[in-house]
Amino acid sequence: MAKKDHVSETPATQLLKANKVVFSEHPYEYLEHGGAQHSAQVLGLDPFTVVKTLIMQDQDAKPLVVLMHGNRKVSTKNLARQIGAKSVEPCQPEVANRHSGYLVGGTSPFGTRKTMPVYIEASILELPQILINGGRRGYLVGIDPQVCVTLLAAKTVQCALAD
């Protein structure tokens, strides 16, 4: 039987390894609709350092990825204005799954099925390290947030709302 602390590879971890990105693994007990707040609590972390990967779409149903602090919401109005879209809204779970190739709750911005533009809340890049989904439910990886810029060409936005 496999050791409990080893998580099998995902497209996300394969991409990180292929790019020689150093990351730590943080498996936890997944809770349906628990979100980043739950994972932060279980792992004893500040939810501000746990980054959620949100699959959203613009008015033309073009998908995009938003990386946001675990304890913040996205102001879709501010986001749309900053990226030059008329409107932005979250994708339905089944649509998000189709775009990313991951299940909602286990979505990583790395190794997505479709290449989508990635937007990152600017203050995330000020953190020394973030935890972000590693490509499956109940699995976070710890990385330098700059990796999101170098590997994903993430553009900074300021659209956080207090949760």
Side-chain angles (χ1 to χ4, degrees):
M1 200 157 111
K3 285 200 327 230
K4 190 122 176 88
D5 59 355
H6 177 71
V7 179
S8 60
E9 287 211 331
T10 66
T13 56
Q14 287 170 346
L15 181 78
L16 293 173
K17 285 177 183 166
N19 286 278
K20 302 194 177 7
V21 172
V22 177
F23 63 93
S24 53
E25 298 184 292
H26 305 268
Y28 66 95
E29 196 67 39
Y30 177 74
L31 174 70
E32 191 79 34
H33 305 299
Q37 296 273 29
H38 168 74
S39 55
Q41 189 181 355
V42 175
L43 294 168
L45 301 163
D46 179 346
F48 192 74
T49 65
V50 176
V51 174
K52 50 191 176 185
T53 304
L54 305 166
I55 309 292
M56 298 193 160
Q57 62 186 21
D58 68 10
Q59 69 282 349
D60 301 319
K62 286 200 181 76
L64 54 113
V65 178
V66 181
L67 303 178
M68 182 54 72
H69 297 287
N71 57 355
R72 298 286 186 272
K73 285 184 169 32
V74 174
S75 163
T76 51
K77 208 189 319 189
N78 284 348
L79 177 63
R81 196 171 56 238
Q82 289 176 55
I83 67 172
K86 283 194 186 86
S87 65
V88 174
E89 62 181 12
C91 286
Q92 291 298 320
E94 58 280 2
V95 175
N97 293 347
R98 213 169 40 241
H99 289 317
S100 70
Y102 296 111
L103 289 173
V104 167
T107 305
S108 176
F110 302 105
T112 54
R113 181 179 292 154
K114 268 189 185 168
T115 303
M116 300 173 267
V118 178
Y119 299 95
I120 186 168
E121 180 62 30
S123 51
I124 291 172
L125 296 175
E126 295 165 15
L127 297 168
Q129 176 169 327
I130 58 170
L131 278 109
I132 196 160
N133 200 289
R136 73 160 33 126
R137 292 172 170 179
Y139 177 55
L140 299 179
V141 291
I143 57 168
D144 178 327
Q146 295 300 326
V147 170
C148 299
V149 177
T150 52
L151 278 189
L152 304 171
K155 294 178 180 64
T156 57
V157 289
Q158 290 177 314
C159 59
L161 294 172
D163 211 359

